[in-house]
Amino acid sequence: MAARLTAEFLDNWKNEVNPDLQKERETCTFKIEELIHVLDGGKENTIKRKNLENIFFTSYVDLFSFKRRPFMSKSEQYESSVAKSVKVFELRREYNWSEEDFDLINRILNYDFALSLHHTMFIPGIERLATDEQKAKWLPLAQSYQIVGTYAQTELGHGTNLLGLETTATYDRERDEFMINTPRLSSMKWWPGGLGKSCTHAIVLAQLVIDSQNHGMHPFMVQLRSLDDHTPMPGLKLGDIGTKLAANNIDNGFLILNNVRVPRENMLMKNARVTRDGKFIQLSGNKANYATMVLVRVKIISWTKDTLRQAATVSVRYSAVRRQTTLKPGTPEQQVLDFQTQQMKVFPCLAAAYAVHFVASSMMDWYQSAFTEILRGNNSQLAELHAQSAGLKAFLTDMSTGMVETCRRSCGGHGYLQVSGVAENMVSSLALVTIEGENTVLYLQTARYLMKQMANAVSGTKTRGSTAYMNRDLSSYTCPIDSQSDCRNLNKLRELYMQRAHRVVMGVAQRLQMDMESGQPQEAVFNNNMVALTRAAKAHLHLSTIDWYIARVDNLVATCSPALGQVMAELCTFFVLWGIVQEAGDFLESETLGLNQLEWIRQEQLNYLTILRPNAVSLVDAFDMHDETVASALGMFDGNVYQHLYESTKYEPNNRTEVHPSYYKHLRGLLKGGQQSKL
Amino acid sequence: MAARLTAEFLDNWKNEVNPDLQKERETCTFKIEELIHVLDGGKENTIKRKNLENIFFTSYVDLFSFKRRPFMSKSEQYESSVAKSVKVFELRREYNWSEEDFDLINRILNYDFALSLHHTMFIPGIERLATDEQKAKWLPLAQSYQIVGTYAQTELGHGTNLLGLETTATYDRERDEFMINTPRLSSMKWWPGGLGKSCTHAIVLAQLVIDSQNHGMHPFMVQLRSLDDHTPMPGLKLGDIGTKLAANNIDNGFLILNNVRVPRENMLMKNARVTRDGKFIQLSGNKANYATMVLVRVKIISWTKDTLRQAATVSVRYSAVRRQTTLKPGTPEQQVLDFQTQQMKVFPCLAAAYAVHFVASSMMDWYQSAFTEILRGNNSQLAELHAQSAGLKAFLTDMSTGMVETCRRSCGGHGYLQVSGVAENMVSSLALVTIEGENTVLYLQTARYLMKQMANAVSGTKTRGSTAYMNRDLSSYTCPIDSQSDCRNLNKLRELYMQRAHRVVMGVAQRLQMDMESGQPQEAVFNNNMVALTRAAKAHLHLSTIDWYIARVDNLVATCSPALGQVMAELCTFFVLWGIVQEAGDFLESETLGLNQLEWIRQEQLNYLTILRPNAVSLVDAFDMHDETVASALGMFDGNVYQHLYESTKYEPNNRTEVHPSYYKHLRGLLKGGQQSKL
């Protein structure tokens, strides 16, 4: 008898861990709990995380499970996401979660609830922009969810260039009100999350106009929808902007304001005031606003870590389970994780997930200490903080989106299915390269900072922090790599990154100087060197990344068990070597290394693939992501990828009936249209 | 009075061409019709194309318009796509379109119909695999659409490695039937387009088993669904595999076969036969099968051209219309197409769209002449044709998916909307890197061919065609670039690509040789050098690409008007320079050029941005894509991007009601749950 795949088997398979994955776990050389606690920031945090996971994925699993999500229409996604928001907000009230807990919950739930801007932008906006009196009015309403809000800044025609925003708030002295307008098509607010269908209020950014004089952009509290029946308020038109690559659970919206009147006290007046008689008073600079912008970018770096973790988890587990082809005739098909090319797709992402974890954590520490100083009136770190957060947001999201896509491809055809999880992750993570500052614009901001610092360094003023390398003597450099074994020395490798950054940044600075001296107008000089400036920023940011990563790993090696320390150092060394090979052109062109050194580094990079191989599965297990957070048929802990793929098809709407309705409407006519069949 | 955006304006805007775009068209230096005809392959083809566009987008615009597509649920997409298929098939019958016309229609319609495999795989499969007698039975049924079919090869557990496929067809001598089974979970057919809900028949690939002996993979005609009522036939279970990143209009399906019996004559027996008494007879090799595989890959290269054209059209037009920021205070915001960084994102894709056009066309010519030879029994070109089509499919789809994504990012936030068209294009084009051969596997196939050719060259046997460069004397090379003006000489630049390919391929060949001589087993040698082999294949394929491109441009320059010739040469030179800068590491490492040369090339590449700038819009206009094919609110001919974006929101399902149903179900309870509002 031929073997048969029966219905009984399909319905009754046992959820045992795939033996290939089990075997991988047995080759782990370190204690996995130790690493889990390191990543969580202590055992107590691990416990807290697991408790939170338990609430959402045990007590409310029907609502929060990922399984139906890939099969929902946009409206269904939105509705489910509103339901989740409401539940999360109720639970927040019940458990009195802190902001930090809430960040963790966001991560656990993959940021999959519609009203998240209420807590990430609307309430912080009130706290930052409103006077104490205004806070006393609005915060209790927002905190008790009697109102839900968003932050409406971006317009159809303007994103990055805030100065160009067109919405106006014109003061009407007679009625003591502002009249808010989006005067042109391009002026309508466009993109804010929750704006389309959900929110009752928005902080609307508008150009303040008094007696035809423009006083710049200021925030206004605008009621969008009736608190009785949720219908739009008079004079405004709003809706959902439509389907996106991902995040279709969120109703990003448009808003047209047509002579919408708000009382004078709805201008949030912490930083600037308009008096009853229409006098404009600037109260303080926007350093605190500035700090908020920085904070959001630091948070994005941290989100990037989560996308990398998910992609690495899916692709490493799947690659351990998937078998395909054999290199040696007569032997069983091999795990695709054993192919060198597959390792080269997957391990950089795995290492980067650790790198970005440590960088994000260091950035956050720095932000917090610098912000404390800013509140004390000391702004000395602000310029560097701004340049580094902008640049690293760009550099790390660019790097990670590429890696996530490579991981997706490493899953072959199945990586194209939404239930792969890594497909959804990829398209979601693509938002990060544009939101909160388009990446090219951000690189150029970093580059401007670097040019200033370089000018300082050249003129003898010592630079500090991330640009301290600019004080070095470029000409005295000799390549520290004298043998292949030097390629395992993180300090020597760091030297290479430093020299490359220094040379590339210096090269552009000199070029700019030359162009200026040739009499070209400043804007032409800047525009004609934009590509080079971007390249310089990347070289610098690459250095910052590995610098922070190495520092944290050094620290970890000194404090953790030797077994774990060794693996952490290996992973870090691989990441640093990989970066050099990726940018080989830059390293050669800046004469940081020669052809021999590059060949050693390339070879050593390949050696590390073999070194990392036995711990690969354990290194993703240590992220300890809940199956519901990984949200992937290919990446579950049990590794039963084919069962999970097959099971997912029961949620597919096209499978609701054996014969699809379109047969009766369209196909039958075609099939029966010819001669009568003789079959 | 403040300016107001009124409902009247929103409803009554006039569809005039955006003045920024109009101005761009006036700077065109060549005759655009001439280029349109070149790209269409003659004026008569342009007319034919426009006639076809007219049928679909005028006579049947309601059915074929893209406007609702981004807002449809998966089931709606599928249903609409079935309706389109039926209409296309009816029209095909009516107009008696040729295969070539049908390819063109596919392009015009963005491959957006569900049953396309009927004509691209099922009917060609019968023609290729069936005996004359079998053809006489099945072809009329298929051609008259009494049956619609697909080609079921890939399984849940096996894609690339065809030898590993698990489905069995066991001959039952007693009943003169085959019993077809998918014995394990991993054996079910998974992925074939149209399999889930649409097709009545499939050519199923299965291991032929006679008396427990396996005779390899053979094709079997299997009826999937009743021709009376479309219900699945007994013994099989089938359905849709679920949501994908894109192509959700197509019901890619799974198929479980459980002792499904088909008569012996349902084995398609052109290449092998089973007699009544169970004797297996191999009739011919599979050279023709082989040729079909090659053809599909050549076609994919041609599809790649369409994705590049669409992305370039959208991003160039949008960049000409979008204004953002000013570099010189006090001047109006500038077109983003004037930023050097934006040009660097967009122009490589524009140039590549031309490059791939010419490469695809040359590949197709070569395929046709080689296939004619194969039919005559001359297989001398087959190995090269296979290696080149496999490799170029991989190389060009890798390149183009990256470029399309860069173009999407060049549209900022709006590039994240599905109505941008370029977002959908990007996720669609990602399928191309996996289908019909996973790209890494294909690179390795090319690399194996290169290693053989290199062994020939080294042993004194002259290599020909794409590997002719291997006969050169590597050591006698001197870099032909002696000044920046040499960087405009395509012949000299081609020398660089040749040298780089030669050195990189030679390097890996020597490495393999060394490893073999050191006594490592062959499979280990191959696995340990996979990354290097891939790199060698890319260097070779990059050369092949620019080689073909330059040859076609040389030819064009000799035959077309001087004005057009100049632009074509400029675009080609830019593409060739850009490729060197992209792979600077490889060119330096292979000692193809020195630091001075690289600096010249880098500078000259930037100069070409300025040279190309005035013709950018006209170069995309020359693709002459119908607005319905571009399918983008950002990329329409009239350039009224904000109007088209705003208009698209009326199709958004969340906007069907002012108050979304989820308010009553979920949100109201939260908002009214607190104290009574005092607002």
Side-chain angles (χ1 to χ4, degrees):
Chain A
M1 261 322 273
R4 293 175 55 186
L5 180 64
T6 61
E8 293 69 42
F9 172 81
L10 286 170
D11 294 338
N12 296 306
W13 60 278
K14 281 211 203 77
N15 213 342
E16 286 165 355
V17 171
N18 182 303
D20 277 334
L21 215 44
Q22 190 51 47
K23 237 176 53 198
E24 293 290 333
R25 288 176 176 136
E26 287 158 12
T27 61
C28 179
T29 64
F30 60 94
K31 246 187 86 192
I32 197 159
E33 288 75 18
E34 186 184 1
L35 182 50
I36 292 175
H37 298 330
V38 165
L39 294 176
D40 278 326
K43 188 176 177 181
E44 63 288 0
N45 286 340
T46 304
I47 294 168
K48 184 202 277 183
R49 174 172 58 77
K50 286 184 178 292
N51 284 338
L52 290 171
E53 286 168 352
N54 197 43
I55 292 174
F56 293 107
F57 302 135
T58 307
S59 309
Y60 300 102
V61 65
D62 282 349
L63 186 58
F64 290 98
S65 174
F66 80 95
K67 292 193 176 166
R68 284 173 202 278
R69 203 164 59 211
F71 302 95
M72 288 180 177
S73 71
K74 183 164 183 292
S75 280
E76 287 166 346
Q77 282 182 58
Y78 169 63
E79 179 168 331
S80 143
S81 185
V82 170
K84 285 182 208 174
S85 290
V86 168
K87 178 53 74 187
V88 168
F89 288 175
E90 285 172 3
L91 290 170
R92 186 186 163 114
R93 215 155 39 191
E94 184 182 335
Y95 286 99
N96 202 17
W97 284 321
S98 69
E99 282 309 312
E100 213 175 72
D101 294 337
F102 209 62
D103 278 350
L104 184 55
I105 289 163
N106 260 293
R107 292 175 49 203
I108 290 171
L109 298 180
N110 276 311
Y111 308 91
D112 180 31
F113 48 100
L115 301 176
S116 54
L117 262 65
H118 181 69
H119 277 289
T120 58
M121 297 291 284
F122 184 64
I123 290 179
I126 297 171
E127 284 167 344
R128 200 175 72 225
L129 303 167
T131 62
D132 288 345
E133 199 185 347
Q134 290 175 321
K135 283 190 217 175
K137 173 176 180 182
W138 295 107
L139 281 179
L141 293 169
Q143 279 157 347
S144 63
Y145 309 115
Q146 292 177 68
I147 65 176
V148 286
T150 184
Y151 189 86
Q153 176 175 292
T154 303
E155 296 172 359
L156 190 49
H158 283 92
T160 298
N161 182 25
L162 299 185
L163 296 176
L165 291 175
E166 299 171 345
T167 303
T168 54
T170 308
Y171 184 55
D172 178 344
R173 200 177 274 108
E174 212 165 295
R175 295 169 59 170
D176 195 20
E177 290 174 341
F178 292 104
M179 210 163 59
I180 307 189
N181 271 296
T182 47
R184 283 180 292 280
L185 183 65
S186 55
S187 330
M188 72 173 74
K189 297 295 177 186
W190 184 276
W191 272 116
L195 177 65
K197 308 308 283 186
S198 310
C199 288
T200 63
H201 286 69
I203 298 173
V204 171
L205 278 288
Q207 305 287 352
L208 170 63
V209 178
I210 308 175
D211 301 331
S212 307
Q213 200 193 332
N214 189 329
H215 293 277
M217 211 170 60
H218 295 276
F220 298 83
M221 180 68 77
V222 175
Q223 183 170 353
L224 303 175
R225 291 179 174 272
S226 152
L227 296 181
D228 289 329
D229 60 8
H230 215 55
T231 52
M233 299 299 283
L236 53 82
K237 185 169 163 58
L238 76 178
D240 188 311
I241 60 169
T243 320
K244 293 146 290 180
L245 267 177
N248 284 309
N249 57 322
I250 295 178
D251 54 323
N252 296 83
F254 65 85
L255 169 65
I256 297 169
L257 296 151
N258 203 338
N259 281 352
V260 169
R261 293 183 165 274
V262 300
R264 183 168 51 89
E265 62 263 27
N266 273 30
M267 173 172 157
L268 299 182
M269 299 209 195
K270 183 170 182 188
N271 298 321
R273 216 150 52 84
V274 173
T275 62
R276 176 63 189 90
D277 58 347
K279 226 172 93 188
F280 173 76
I281 302 163
Q282 185 73 47
L283 296 170
S284 69
N286 57 355
K287 299 292 188 209
N289 284 355
Y290 218 56
T292 309
M293 193 167 72
V294 169
L295 175 60
V296 174
R297 289 173 186 164
V298 173
K299 281 197 178 184
I300 289 176
I301 296 171
S302 177
W303 301 347
T304 295
K305 163 194 74 185
D306 295 316
T307 71
L308 290 166
R309 284 183 178 185
Q310 196 268 4
T313 300
V314 173
S315 59
V316 168
R317 286 181 181 162
Y318 178 69
S319 301
V321 163
R322 176 77 168 183
R323 289 178 171 270
Q324 195 83 334
T325 315
T326 172
L327 288 172
K328 192 178 173 183
T331 57
E333 289 191 299
Q334 73 185 48
Q335 291 167 288
V336 294
L337 193 55
D338 282 332
F339 290 106
Q340 191 189 46
T341 39
Q342 186 79 354
Q343 293 167 1
M344 207 43 144
K345 289 178 191 173
V346 173
F347 290 175
C349 180
L350 175 59
Y354 281 88
V356 177
H357 169 85
F358 291 121
V359 173
S361 159
S362 295
M363 265 309 274
M364 187 58 88
D365 291 349
W366 181 30
Y367 166 81
Q368 274 159 351
S369 77
F371 190 60
T372 310
E373 289 299 313
I374 290 167
L375 290 180
R376 286 193 197 129
N378 171 8
N379 293 326
S380 66
Q381 291 180 79
L382 193 57
E384 187 186 3
L385 185 64
H386 177 256
Q388 289 291 91
S389 62
L392 284 169
K393 179 271 190 184
F395 184 73
L396 296 174
T397 57
D398 272 353
M399 183 185 79
S400 68
T401 50
M403 286 172 161
V404 172
E405 168 60 11
T406 301
C407 283
R408 192 195 64 72
R409 294 187 190 191
S410 80
C411 298
H414 298 333
Y416 203 68
L417 289 167
Q418 290 285 18
V419 290
S420 72
V422 68
E424 177 74 21
N425 179 8
M426 186 274 289
V427 281
S428 296
S429 74
L430 289 182
L432 301 180
V433 303
T434 312
I435 59 165
E436 300 297 334
E438 192 275 328
N439 278 1
T440 302
V441 174
L442 297 183
Y443 285 128
L444 291 171
Q445 289 179 1
T446 305
R448 280 179 197 267
Y449 173 78
L450 295 177
M451 292 304 109
K452 276 185 209 150
Q453 294 305 104
M454 187 55 91
N456 286 338
V458 168
S459 70
T461 311
K462 270 220 168 356
T463 56
R464 289 157 185 279
S466 63
T467 56
Y469 62 87
M470 292 181 183
N471 306 315
R472 290 154 46 113
D473 177 11
L474 260 179
S475 60
S476 71
Y477 172 84
T478 51
C479 180
I481 304 293
D482 292 323
S483 67
Q484 190 160 328
S485 67
D486 279 345
C487 303
R488 300 186 172 213
N489 183 321
L490 281 170
N491 280 324
K492 293 190 176 190
L493 295 173
R494 177 165 41 189
E495 283 284 309
L496 302 182
Y497 278 85
M498 232 184 268
Q499 178 69 8
R500 168 220 183 188
H502 198 175
R503 286 293 292 263
V504 174
V505 173
M506 176 65 98
V508 190
Q510 286 170 339
R511 177 86 206 199
L512 283 173
Q513 185 68 27
M514 241 169 59
D515 286 0
M516 298 286 260
E517 284 167 5
S518 78
Q520 292 179 46
Q522 197 174 340
E523 67 275 8
V525 171
F526 189 71
N527 194 24
N528 294 338
N529 288 289
M530 271 186 175
V531 170
L533 284 162
T534 306
R535 184 169 160 231
K538 287 179 184 172
H540 166 82
L541 294 161
H542 203 165
L543 167 64
S544 301
T545 301
I546 67 116
D547 231 6
W548 255 326
Y549 185 19
I550 292 172
R552 292 291 294 263
V553 165
D554 281 350
N555 189 274
L556 190 60
V557 167
T559 54
C560 72
S561 69
L564 178 57
Q566 188 183 332
V567 178
M568 290 292 98
E570 287 164 357
L571 203 54
C572 182
T573 310
F574 170 71
F575 182 77
V576 172
L577 291 168
W578 174 83
I580 297 171
V581 175
Q582 286 292 301
E583 303 295 333
D586 246 30
F587 282 89
L588 289 172
E589 203 175 341
S590 58
E591 297 178 276
T592 300
L593 42 72
L595 297 181
N596 281 339
Q597 282 89 0
L598 180 56
E599 185 49 37
W600 289 330
I601 286 170
R602 203 183 274 285
Q603 195 50 50
E604 203 51 29
Q605 175 207 219
L606 294 176
N607 290 344
Y608 269 92
L609 295 177
T610 314
I611 292 170
L612 295 175
R613 173 67 187 84
N615 281 316
V617 166
S618 302
L619 284 167
V620 302
D621 282 352
F623 299 140
D624 201 27
M625 293 177 87
H626 195 286
D627 274 351
E628 290 286 354
T629 305
V630 178
S632 163
L634 307 182
M636 294 211 188
F637 187 82
D638 67 21
N640 292 313
V641 298
Y642 300 132
Q643 286 89 334
H644 293 299
L645 279 174
Y646 179 68
E647 281 210 325
S648 73
T649 61
K650 72 181 175 205
Y651 299 110
E652 163 57 43
N654 278 347
N655 294 336
R656 274 182 202 140
T657 54
E658 280 285 14
V659 177
H660 194 272
S662 62
Y663 168 73
Y664 305 104
K665 284 196 222 168
H666 307 292
L667 196 53
R668 184 166 57 178
L670 179 79
L671 291 166
K672 308 253 177 181
Q675 308 151 270
Q676 277 306 307
S677 161
K678 287 186 211 108
L679 291 179
Chain B
M1 260 325 271
R4 294 173 54 187
L5 181 64
T6 61
E8 293 68 42
F9 173 82
L10 287 169
D11 293 339
N12 296 308
W13 60 277
K14 282 209 204 77
N15 212 342
E16 287 165 354
V17 171
N18 182 303
D20 278 334
L21 215 45
Q22 191 51 46
K23 238 176 54 198
E24 295 290 335
R25 287 175 178 139
E26 287 157 11
T27 60
C28 179
T29 64
F30 59 93
K31 247 186 86 193
I32 198 161
E33 289 75 19
E34 186 183 1
L35 183 50
I36 292 174
H37 298 331
V38 165
L39 294 176
D40 278 327
K43 188 175 176 181
E44 62 290 357
N45 285 339
T46 303
I47 294 167
K48 185 202 274 183
R49 174 172 56 75
K50 285 183 179 291
N51 284 339
L52 289 171
E53 286 168 353
N54 197 44
I55 292 175
F56 293 107
F57 301 135
T58 307
S59 309
Y60 300 102
V61 64
D62 282 350
L63 185 58
F64 289 99
S65 175
F66 80 95
K67 292 192 175 166
R68 283 173 203 280
R69 201 165 61 212
F71 302 95
M72 288 179 177
S73 72
K74 182 163 184 292
S75 279
E76 288 165 345
Q77 283 182 59
Y78 169 63
E79 179 169 331
S80 142
S81 184
V82 170
K84 286 182 208 173
S85 291
V86 168
K87 177 54 73 187
V88 168
F89 288 175
E90 285 171 3
L91 289 170
R92 185 186 164 114
R93 215 155 39 191
E94 184 183 333
Y95 288 97
N96 202 16
W97 284 320
S98 70
E99 282 309 313
E100 214 175 71
D101 295 335
F102 208 62
D103 278 350
L104 183 54
I105 289 163
N106 261 293
R107 292 176 48 204
I108 290 171
L109 299 180
N110 277 312
Y111 309 91
D112 179 32
F113 48 100
L115 301 176
S116 55
L117 263 66
H118 181 70
H119 278 288
T120 58
M121 297 292 284
F122 185 65
I123 291 180
I126 297 171
E127 284 168 342
R128 201 175 71 225
L129 302 167
T131 61
D132 289 342
E133 199 185 349
Q134 290 174 320
K135 282 189 216 174
K137 173 177 179 182
W138 294 107
L139 281 179
L141 293 169
Q143 278 155 348
S144 62
Y145 308 117
Q146 293 177 67
I147 64 175
V148 286
T150 185
Y151 189 85
Q153 177 175 293
T154 303
E155 295 171 358
L156 189 51
H158 283 92
T160 297
N161 182 26
L162 301 185
L163 297 176
L165 291 175
E166 299 171 346
T167 303
T168 53
T170 308
Y171 185 56
D172 177 344
R173 199 176 273 106
E174 211 164 295
R175 294 171 58 172
D176 195 20
E177 289 174 343
F178 293 105
M179 210 162 60
I180 307 189
N181 270 296
T182 48
R184 282 181 293 282
L185 183 64
S186 55
S187 332
M188 72 173 75
K189 296 296 177 186
W190 184 275
W191 273 115
L195 177 65
K197 308 306 285 187
S198 311
C199 288
T200 62
H201 287 69
I203 298 173
V204 172
L205 278 288
Q207 306 286 354
L208 169 64
V209 178
I210 307 174
D211 301 331
S212 307
Q213 199 192 334
N214 188 331
H215 293 278
M217 209 169 61
H218 295 275
F220 298 83
M221 180 66 77
V222 176
Q223 182 171 354
L224 304 174
R225 290 179 175 273
S226 152
L227 296 181
D228 289 328
D229 61 7
H230 215 56
T231 52
M233 299 298 284
L236 53 82
K237 185 167 163 58
L238 78 178
D240 188 312
I241 61 170
T243 319
K244 293 147 289 181
L245 267 178
N248 285 309
N249 58 322
I250 297 177
D251 55 320
N252 296 84
F254 67 84
L255 169 65
I256 298 169
L257 296 150
N258 204 337
N259 280 354
V260 170
R261 293 183 166 271
V262 298
R264 184 168 51 88
E265 61 263 28
N266 274 28
M267 174 173 158
L268 299 182
M269 299 207 193
K270 183 170 180 185
N271 298 321
R273 216 148 55 83
V274 173
T275 62
R276 176 63 191 92
D277 59 346
K279 225 172 92 188
F280 173 77
I281 302 165
Q282 184 75 47
L283 295 171
S284 68
N286 56 356
K287 298 293 186 207
N289 284 354
Y290 216 56
T292 309
M293 192 167 71
V294 169
L295 175 60
V296 175
R297 288 175 186 163
V298 173
K299 281 195 177 187
I300 289 176
I301 295 171
S302 177
W303 300 346
T304 296
K305 165 193 72 184
D306 295 316
T307 70
L308 290 167
R309 285 183 177 186
Q310 197 269 2
T313 300
V314 173
S315 60
V316 169
R317 287 181 180 163
Y318 178 70
S319 301
V321 163
R322 178 76 168 182
R323 288 178 171 272
Q324 195 83 333
T325 315
T326 172
L327 287 173
K328 193 178 172 183
T331 57
E333 290 191 299
Q334 72 186 47
Q335 293 167 288
V336 294
L337 193 55
D338 282 332
F339 290 106
Q340 190 188 47
T341 39
Q342 186 79 352
Q343 293 168 1
M344 208 44 147
K345 289 178 191 173
V346 173
F347 291 174
C349 180
L350 175 60
Y354 281 87
V356 177
H357 169 84
F358 292 120
V359 172
S361 159
S362 295
M363 265 311 273
M364 187 56 88
D365 291 349
W366 180 31
Y367 166 81
Q368 274 159 351
S369 76
F371 190 61
T372 311
E373 289 298 313
I374 290 166
L375 291 180
R376 286 191 196 131
N378 170 8
N379 293 326
S380 64
Q381 292 180 77
L382 193 57
E384 187 186 4
L385 185 65
H386 177 256
Q388 289 291 92
S389 62
L392 284 170
K393 180 270 190 185
F395 183 73
L396 296 174
T397 57
D398 271 354
M399 183 184 77
S400 67
T401 51
M403 287 172 162
V404 172
E405 169 59 10
T406 301
C407 283
R408 192 195 64 72
R409 293 187 191 192
S410 81
C411 298
H414 299 333
Y416 203 68
L417 289 166
Q418 290 285 16
V419 290
S420 73
V422 67
E424 176 75 22
N425 179 7
M426 186 274 288
V427 282
S428 295
S429 74
L430 290 182
L432 301 180
V433 304
T434 311
I435 59 165
E436 299 296 335
E438 193 275 328
N439 278 0
T440 303
V441 174
L442 297 184
Y443 285 129
L444 292 171
Q445 289 179 2
T446 304
R448 280 181 199 266
Y449 173 77
L450 295 176
M451 293 302 110
K452 276 186 207 148
Q453 294 304 104
M454 187 55 93
N456 285 338
V458 167
S459 69
T461 312
K462 270 219 167 357
T463 55
R464 287 155 187 278
S466 63
T467 57
Y469 63 85
M470 292 180 182
N471 305 316
R472 290 154 47 113
D473 177 11
L474 259 179
S475 60
S476 71
Y477 172 85
T478 53
C479 180
I481 304 292
D482 292 323
S483 67
Q484 191 161 326
S485 67
D486 280 346
C487 302
R488 299 184 173 216
N489 183 321
L490 282 169
N491 280 324
K492 293 191 176 189
L493 295 173
R494 176 165 43 191
E495 282 285 308
L496 303 181
Y497 278 86
M498 232 184 268
Q499 178 69 8
R500 169 221 184 186
H502 198 176
R503 285 293 292 264
V504 174
V505 174
M506 175 66 96
V508 189
Q510 285 169 339
R511 177 86 204 200
L512 283 174
Q513 185 68 26
M514 242 170 57
D515 286 0
M516 297 288 259
E517 284 167 5
S518 79
Q520 293 180 45
Q522 196 173 341
E523 68 277 8
V525 171
F526 188 71
N527 194 24
N528 294 337
N529 288 288
M530 271 187 177
V531 170
L533 285 161
T534 305
R535 184 169 159 232
K538 287 178 183 172
H540 166 82
L541 294 161
H542 204 165
L543 167 64
S544 301
T545 301
I546 65 117
D547 230 6
W548 254 327
Y549 185 19
I550 293 173
R552 291 292 294 263
V553 165
D554 281 350
N555 190 272
L556 191 59
V557 168
T559 54
C560 72
S561 69
L564 178 58
Q566 190 184 329
V567 178
M568 290 293 97
E570 286 165 358
L571 203 55
C572 182
T573 309
F574 170 72
F575 182 77
V576 172
L577 291 167
W578 174 83
I580 296 171
V581 176
Q582 286 292 301
E583 301 296 332
D586 246 30
F587 281 89
L588 289 172
E589 202 175 341
S590 58
E591 295 179 277
T592 300
L593 41 73
L595 296 182
N596 282 338
Q597 282 88 3
L598 180 56
E599 186 48 35
W600 290 329
I601 286 170
R602 203 183 274 283
Q603 195 51 49
E604 203 51 29
Q605 176 209 218
L606 295 176
N607 291 343
Y608 269 92
L609 296 176
T610 314
I611 293 170
L612 295 175
R613 172 69 185 82
N615 282 315
V617 166
S618 302
L619 283 166
V620 302
D621 282 353
F623 298 141
D624 201 26
M625 293 177 87
H626 195 287
D627 275 351
E628 290 286 354
T629 305
V630 178
S632 162
L634 306 182
M636 293 212 188
F637 187 81
D638 68 20
N640 293 313
V641 297
Y642 299 133
Q643 285 89 333
H644 292 300
L645 281 173
Y646 178 68
E647 281 211 325
S648 74
T649 61
K650 71 181 176 204
Y651 300 111
E652 164 56 43
N654 277 348
N655 293 336
R656 273 181 203 143
T657 54
E658 280 286 14
V659 177
H660 194 273
S662 62
Y663 168 73
Y664 305 104
K665 284 197 223 167
H666 307 292
L667 196 53
R668 184 165 58 179
L670 179 79
L671 290 167
K672 309 252 178 181
Q675 308 151 267
Q676 276 307 305
S677 161
K678 284 184 215 118
L679 291 179

